[in-house]
Amino acid sequence: ETGVTQTPRHLVMGMTNKKSLKCEQHLGHNAMYWYKQSAKKPLELMFVYNFKEQTENNSVPSRFSPECPNSSHLFLHLHTLQPEDSALYLCASSQAYTGTGDTEAFFGQGTRLTVV
Amino acid sequence: RKEVEQDPGPFNVPEGATVAFNCTYSNSASQSFFWYRQDCRKEPKLLMSVYSSGNEDGRFTAQLNRASQYISLLIRDSKLSDSATYLCVVLDRGSTLGRLYFGRGTQLTVWP
């Protein structure tokens, strides 16, 4: 069973809708990530949060808005999306460097998003 | 140049075959290295970490060559259940905080 939980697992939304994806990790990690994976394409990093602070925005359009209220929760707020935004959205967490080394990333099961 | 580059595949091998995947990384200061496995329409899962001395886990052997900035994964006695995409992952540490770089993945199909 994964220590990273994402909801919802599936989401269909219209281009004018507003929705949010939720990620929760129970591993005590201090870094969380949003990735996008389109069909038959590699993982694309979207955002990185370390210690609740956003440390990376990988040129993501503003229609995607992340929020990290604490080190255990990560949201991705969606508004006015386009059909090409349909993809698998994966959340991951890891223990970023604290002087004793980094750990690997653990992924949630993803939210499969379809924009119609 | 991409941070992490992998053999694109796909690799199609019969059961029982030995198959090797290669990966190169561009940052000589990279800190940690991993192989992940991703099944179709599922999330990536850690297969094994890669250590400088090389490490083995059952039928899987990972090697790291820091001088050549090269990582490999060897799968012996392939099983049907090994069919998946294998992702090479490198962790770079900037000032103090790490950042993961994923390769595009190598697709493996094991046939009976």
Side-chain angles (χ1 to χ4, degrees), chain A residues 37 56 97 102 105 108 112, chain B residues 36 38 43 91 93 96 99:
Chain A
Q37 190 172 40
E56 186 157 351
Y97 181 72
D102 300 271
R112 190 158 297 281
Chain B
Y36 276 71
Q38 186 173 24
E43 77 277 19
L91 176 69
R93 191 173 303 128
T96 57
R99 195 247 202 242

Side-chain angles (χ1 to χ4, degrees), chain A residues 102, chain B residues 1 23-34 50-54 63-72 89-93:
Chain A
D102 300 271
Chain B
R1 183 182 172 184
C23 170
T24 57
Y25 58 96
S26 60
N27 184 356
S28 60
S30 294
Q31 303 289 335
S32 303
F33 310 89
F34 310 97
V50 188
Y51 304 119
S52 296
S53 54
Q63 296 278 353
L64 167 64
N65 184 324
R66 284 191 183 270
S68 302
Q69 294 176 211
Y70 172 96
I71 306 158
S72 66
V89 183
V90 171
L91 176 69
D92 285 351
R93 191 173 303 128

Side-chain angles (χ1 to χ4, degrees), chain A residues 5-107:
Chain A
T5 305
Q6 286 187 246
T7 54
R9 294 289 306 281
H10 300 273
L11 178 62
V12 179
M13 60 185 289
M15 289 189 283
T16 58
N17 290 160
K18 288 185 179 180
K19 296 286 184 184
S20 295
L21 309 185
K22 180 182 176 182
C23 177
E24 185 174 358
Q25 58 99 358
H26 312 280
L27 301 167
H29 290 163
N30 56 19
M32 297 187 77
Y33 313 80
W34 279 117
Y35 286 89
K36 174 185 177 182
Q37 190 172 40
S38 303
K40 298 190 183 300
K41 289 189 176 179
L43 284 165
E44 299 174 49
L45 178 66
M46 300 176 73
F47 300 104
V48 181
Y49 277 81
N50 286 117
F51 300 101
K52 302 187 299 177
E53 299 297 322
Q54 187 181 126
T55 56
E56 186 157 351
N57 176 337
N58 205 21
S59 302
V60 181
S62 60
R63 57 186 184 270
F64 295 91
S65 174
E67 178 190 359
C68 189
N70 55 62
S71 56
S72 298
H73 294 85
L74 185 64
F75 296 89
L76 188 63
H77 304 299
L78 316 171
H79 64 98
T80 59
L81 294 193
Q82 304 299 311
E84 59 264 29
D85 295 323
S86 299
L88 179 67
Y89 288 85
L90 290 159
C91 172
S93 73
S94 70
Q95 187 64 16
Y97 181 72
T98 56
T100 58
D102 300 271
T103 67
E104 65 274 18
F106 293 83
F107 284 84

Side-chain angles (χ1 to χ4, degrees), chain B residues 11 16 29 32 41 44 51-52 56 61 66-67 71 86 95 108 110:
Chain B
F11 286 68
S32 303
R41 301 176 70 84
Y51 304 119
S52 296
E56 188 173 308
T61 301
R66 284 191 183 270
I71 306 158
Y86 291 83
S95 52
L108 171 67
V110 181

Side-chain angles (χ1 to χ4, degrees), chain B:
Chain B
R1 183 182 172 184
K2 290 189 171 62
E3 292 282 343
V4 180
E5 302 218 43
Q6 291 185 243
D7 284 347
F11 286 68
N12 297 298
V13 303
E15 270 189 295
T18 295
V19 62
F21 304 139
N22 304 315
C23 170
T24 57
Y25 58 96
S26 60
N27 184 356
S28 60
S30 294
Q31 303 289 335
S32 303
F33 310 89
F34 310 97
W35 281 102
Y36 276 71
R37 169 191 171 132
Q38 186 173 24
D39 292 294
C40 187
R41 301 176 70 84
K42 297 283 185 69
E43 77 277 19
K45 293 185 178 178
L46 178 69
L47 178 66
M48 59 197 302
S49 301
V50 188
Y51 304 119
S52 296
S53 54
N55 47 301
E56 188 173 308
D57 183 1
R59 298 180 294 108
F60 298 85
T61 301
Q63 296 278 353
L64 167 64
N65 184 324
R66 284 191 183 270
S68 302
Q69 294 176 211
Y70 172 96
I71 306 158
S72 66
L73 177 68
L74 182 77
I75 305 176
R76 290 182 299 278
D77 189 22
S78 299
K79 310 292 185 192
L80 297 176
S81 56
D82 293 335
S83 297
T85 296
Y86 291 83
L87 302 164
C88 177
V89 183
V90 171
L91 176 69
D92 285 351
R93 191 173 303 128
S95 52
T96 57
L97 301 171
R99 195 247 202 242
L100 293 168
Y101 291 88
F102 283 80
R104 293 181 62 90
T106 301
Q107 187 178 347
L108 171 67
T109 301
V110 181
W111 45 273

